[in-house]
Amino acid sequence: MMERIPYNATVRAVTVVTPDLMILQIATDEPRQGFLAGQNMLLGLYGNEGRSLNSEPEANPVPHEQLLRRPYAIASHSTETSLFEFYISQVKSGQLSPRLFNLKVADRLHAGETIRGGFLLNETPDGSDIIMVATGTGIAPYISFLRTHIAERPESKMIVIQGAAHREDLGYFSELVFLEKSYPNFFYVPTLTDADDGWEGKCSRIEDLLENDFLQNEFNITPDPEWTHFFISGKPDMVGRISRWLEQFGYRRHHPDDPGEYYIEEY
């Protein structure tokens, strides 16, 4: 029988955004060193933990003694060493997320000892414009980017384009609006595919906005791999379509051993 890995973190706050979206803050028992904005951490719970009331029976039941672990992008400022924030969606019939959605303040869980990931804003050249594209919980690494780097890159235009179905699905909306008002080089573009009554913003998929010269018309930015870097995080079909669109302009996907001009969050 395998030795049980002890829990090593405590829930500090749970903010319910929608029934299937939450912001989870945890404190690790021991500090984590070397965190870079855009990286991720493993979160875990054992199979004997309860599932949320809003979940469904899991498609593939797991043994009670199995530690379920999955990487989640960290939304915190990179100077944090023990208080970490995550933006999580619930897969109702999944294994781990319904258990995470059942957590309450002061509950215990597992947090990975090592922080990983190569989705890093600090690898882009100083002065380059940064376009950050997200759907769903893909916004989380950009919150870390902005909390960490926005004040130190005043010469860069930094644009977040966030797509969702409804207004309530736009996680971190208030913080992003505040940043847009506070920093003249930052621009926030939320866009909805199933807009609510009274919505006055964009009503489109992100892919359609970009392919219809939105950046050129609104921000005088022509996709050019020498001057503008793209980060893409979210639904696979969106990621694939925007990747193909960028490659028409000569962009190459970034790899640690083969630097390129567009980054995909993949872990």
Side-chain angles (χ1 to χ4, degrees):
M1 184 174 178
M2 293 183 61
E3 183 179 355
R4 185 181 176 95
I5 299 173
Y7 286 167
N8 58 359
T10 302
V11 175
R12 285 287 179 256
V14 177
T15 302
V16 177
V17 179
T18 74
D20 293 312
L21 288 169
M22 72 168 177
I23 296 172
L24 177 70
Q25 291 183 337
I26 69 166
T28 56
D29 296 348
E30 300 293 334
R32 305 290 190 267
Q33 305 296 338
F35 163 43
L36 300 174
Q39 292 188 307
N40 62 80
M41 177 187 288
L42 288 173
L43 298 181
L45 289 167
Y46 279 97
N48 65 332
E49 301 289 357
R51 297 166 61 84
S52 77
L53 296 177
N54 187 38
S55 67
E56 298 171 357
E58 56 192 321
N60 298 298
V62 296
H64 282 192
E65 67 275 10
Q66 182 176 337
L67 180 62
L68 303 165
R69 287 183 281 192
R70 184 185 184 282
Y72 290 92
I74 303 168
S76 313
H77 193 292
S78 66
T79 57
E80 291 288 356
T81 58
S82 61
L83 185 64
F84 297 99
E85 181 173 305
F86 307 87
Y87 185 41
I88 300 174
S89 64
Q90 177 175 227
V91 179
K92 289 180 181 292
S93 61
Q95 296 176 334
L96 179 56
S97 63
R99 291 176 168 88
L100 291 173
F101 269 70
N102 198 49
L103 290 171
K104 303 178 294 298
V105 172
D107 283 349
R108 299 280 286 169
L109 73 160
H110 172 79
E113 299 288 347
T114 304
I115 297 175
R116 298 183 173 89
F119 195 68
L120 305 173
L121 182 66
N122 65 359
E123 291 186 351
T124 60
D126 290 341
S128 58
D129 293 332
I130 306 296
I131 313 299
M132 296 165 271
V133 176
T135 55
T137 56
I139 196 69
Y142 303 147
I143 298 302
S144 183
F145 283 180
L146 295 168
R147 289 173 174 176
T148 303
H149 295 298
I150 191 170
E152 64 191 40
R153 296 191 67 147
E155 74 288 352
S156 297
K157 285 182 182 176
M158 303 179 73
I159 301 171
V160 165
I161 307 175
Q162 183 183 19
H166 300 283
R167 162 65 182 84
E168 66 177 6
D169 301 319
L170 292 169
Y172 294 97
F173 179 86
S174 297
E175 181 170 344
L176 290 163
V177 169
F178 173 79
L179 289 174
E180 184 177 43
K181 293 177 179 178
S182 303
Y183 292 90
N185 63 314
F186 175 67
F187 305 91
Y188 175 46
V189 183
T191 181
L192 301 181
T193 56
D194 191 5
D196 310 87
D197 291 342
W199 174 254
E200 297 180 355
K202 303 290 183 185
C203 300
S204 172
R205 292 189 301 176
I206 297 173
E207 307 95 296
D208 296 329
L209 280 180
L210 294 177
E211 291 171 1
N212 288 314
D213 297 336
F214 169 72
L215 290 175
Q216 294 92 319
N217 296 333
E218 295 284 335
F219 300 106
N220 195 31
I221 291 178
T222 299
D224 183 333
E226 184 175 354
W227 301 106
T228 305
H229 287 244
F230 281 75
F231 290 82
I232 315 169
S233 178
K235 295 179 180 178
D237 55 347
M238 178 274 289
V239 171
R241 187 170 160 187
I242 292 179
S243 298
R244 292 188 293 273
W245 175 74
L246 285 170
E247 288 165 5
Q248 297 174 11
F249 295 92
Y251 279 80
R252 296 171 301 120
R253 180 176 174 180
H254 178 84
H255 294 279
D257 55 353
D258 184 17
E261 304 82 22
Y262 77 87
Y263 296 66
I264 295 175
E265 186 190 40
E266 192 171 66
Y267 48 82

